[in-house]
Amino acid sequence: FLYSVLGSGIVQLNMFISMIFASLVGQGSISHIYYADRLIDLPFALVAVAMSITLLPYLSKNILDENKNVEAFNQTLIFCFIFSLPCTFGIFFLSNEIVQVLFGRGEFLKSDVSITSNILVVYSFSLPAYMIARICNQVFFSYERVDIPVKASIPTFILNLILCFTFYKPYGVIGLAFSGAISIWMNVLIQLIYLKLKD
């Protein structure tokens, strides 16, 4: 329970840090990040959450059969890439159209559409990482090692803080998006290293 609380807290802290720096960038920056984040959450929820919910009971059931669990993990990663890569390219090429259709009216000006779509482009490259991180989490949960995702999230939070501080002045809100994308890929790398060491 404690590790779950800590893990969720660090995730919220990452978002809180991004919002703080966004408030220093300029008017509307918090909204731009928020809308882009909501859009990238849709494919994540449809694909990664569904796969991870299916994976966890299977891994727990076959906890003593290492070969079955390794095969299930590898197949889940393959399915993750099968779904995430088209989503990534689709969002990359259609980000402006997606934002325009959903938000481009009223007080949401063309400049807002442009900024939000640029953030969404950056976030699209982090989508596979978010999905892989979610799947890795389920592996550790099935082995009752809930501490490892938390340990992996601590350096991720520190890196995100450093990158936000470094990028927000020269690159504005796009720099904050890059900070989040780089940080989540680092989180995936750390979790994969833990998995490799476990083998």
Side-chain angles (χ1 to χ4, degrees), residues 92-108:
F92 178 82
F93 289 109
L94 299 174
S95 61
N96 192 77
E97 288 77 6
I98 292 170
V99 175
Q100 177 65 44
V101 168
L102 293 176
F103 306 122
R105 63 186 64 84
E107 296 297 319
F108 206 84

Side-chain angles (χ1 to χ4, degrees), residues 38-169:
R38 294 302 92 192
L39 289 174
I40 209 69
D41 274 348
L42 178 60
F44 172 76
L46 289 175
V47 179
V49 173
M51 286 193 298
S52 63
I53 289 174
T54 306
L55 181 63
L56 180 58
Y58 182 87
L59 294 176
S60 301
K61 180 181 177 181
N62 298 287
I63 194 72
L64 299 178
D65 194 331
E66 194 73 24
N67 291 330
K68 278 189 176 181
N69 280 352
V70 169
E71 183 180 356
F73 175 73
N74 291 337
Q75 288 179 350
T76 305
L77 280 184
I78 291 171
F79 277 110
C80 172
F81 280 112
I82 288 174
F83 286 105
S84 67
L85 292 181
C87 289
T88 297
F89 285 109
I91 292 172
F92 178 82
F93 289 109
L94 299 174
S95 61
N96 192 77
E97 288 77 6
I98 292 170
V99 175
Q100 177 65 44
V101 168
L102 293 176
F103 306 122
R105 63 186 64 84
E107 296 297 319
F108 206 84
L109 307 177
K110 286 186 177 180
S111 58
D112 297 312
V113 170
S114 177
I115 295 170
T116 305
S117 64
N118 288 335
I119 296 172
L120 189 59
V121 166
V122 176
Y123 279 170
S124 69
F125 292 104
S126 68
L127 181 59
Y130 278 112
M131 293 185 177
I132 296 170
R134 175 75 183 219
I135 293 168
C136 290
N137 284 349
Q138 300 304 84
V139 175
F140 293 122
F141 293 162
S142 69
Y143 284 92
E144 298 182 352
R145 292 301 310 272
V146 295
D147 59 308
I148 293 180
V150 176
K151 291 176 180 176
S153 65
I154 293 172
T156 302
F157 167 74
I158 295 171
L159 177 64
N160 184 54
L161 178 61
I162 293 171
L163 291 177
C164 284
F165 183 76
T166 304
F167 290 159
Y168 89 96
K169 280 188 178 179

